[in-house]
Amino acid sequence: RRMPKRGFVSNFRKTYQIVNLNDLNSIKETMITPQILKENGLIRNQSALIKILGSGSIKNPVTIQAHAFSKRAATEIIAAGGKTEIIHT
């Protein structure tokens, strides 16, 4: 039996690869780029969109490049003495 289509599905939805702050503590670099995230196995596709979420805390002052940051992640990174850089595509 066929099920009816329900609701609205956007054709322009953005899907992000998620990286938590806890995962970034294992990286010893001071500049974290998508290439470094790929090398450490935190993301699968280097060219896809990346979002940093605020689960956990970060200890090292690092500069992180990503397509999006959650509010909590951005404040945690800045409080640790780091910087957030948004990649525009």
Side-chain angles (χ1 to χ4, degrees), residues 13-14 19 23 40 52:
R13 182 179 73 198
K14 295 181 182 179
V19 179
D23 302 332
N40 286 298
I52 308 295

Side-chain angles (χ1 to χ4, degrees), residues 16-27:
Y16 290 97
Q17 298 179 89
I18 303 300
V19 179
N20 286 312
L21 287 179
N22 273 346
D23 302 332
L24 297 177
N25 284 326
S26 62
I27 300 175

Side-chain angles (χ1 to χ4, degrees), residues 14-21 23-24 37 42-43 48-54 64-71 73:
K14 295 181 182 179
T15 55
Y16 290 97
Q17 298 179 89
I18 303 300
V19 179
N20 286 312
L21 287 179
D23 302 332
L24 297 177
L37 292 173
L42 296 177
I43 60 173
L49 299 175
I50 302 166
K51 185 169 186 175
I52 308 295
L53 297 183
I64 302 173
Q65 294 180 346
H67 296 94
F69 295 88
S70 68
K71 290 180 184 176

Side-chain angles (χ1 to χ4, degrees), residues 5-84:
K5 184 176 169 184
R6 310 273 304 191
F8 173 78
V9 178
S10 174
N11 292 333
F12 304 105
R13 182 179 73 198
K14 295 181 182 179
T15 55
Y16 290 97
Q17 298 179 89
I18 303 300
V19 179
N20 286 312
L21 287 179
N22 273 346
D23 302 332
L24 297 177
N25 284 326
S26 62
I27 300 175
K28 301 301 178 198
E29 305 286 333
T30 57
M31 178 76 161
I32 298 176
T33 62
Q35 180 179 2
I36 292 172
L37 292 173
K38 171 88 170 120
E39 290 170 0
N40 286 298
L42 296 177
I43 60 173
R44 290 180 185 236
N45 187 359
Q46 182 177 336
S47 60
L49 299 175
I50 302 166
K51 185 169 186 175
I52 308 295
L53 297 183
S55 176
S57 63
I58 191 162
K59 299 174 180 73
N60 306 331
V62 294
T63 301
I64 302 173
Q65 294 180 346
H67 296 94
F69 295 88
S70 68
K71 290 180 184 176
R72 183 165 187 264
T75 56
E76 289 270 338
I77 293 166
I78 292 169
K83 289 172 51 179
T84 60

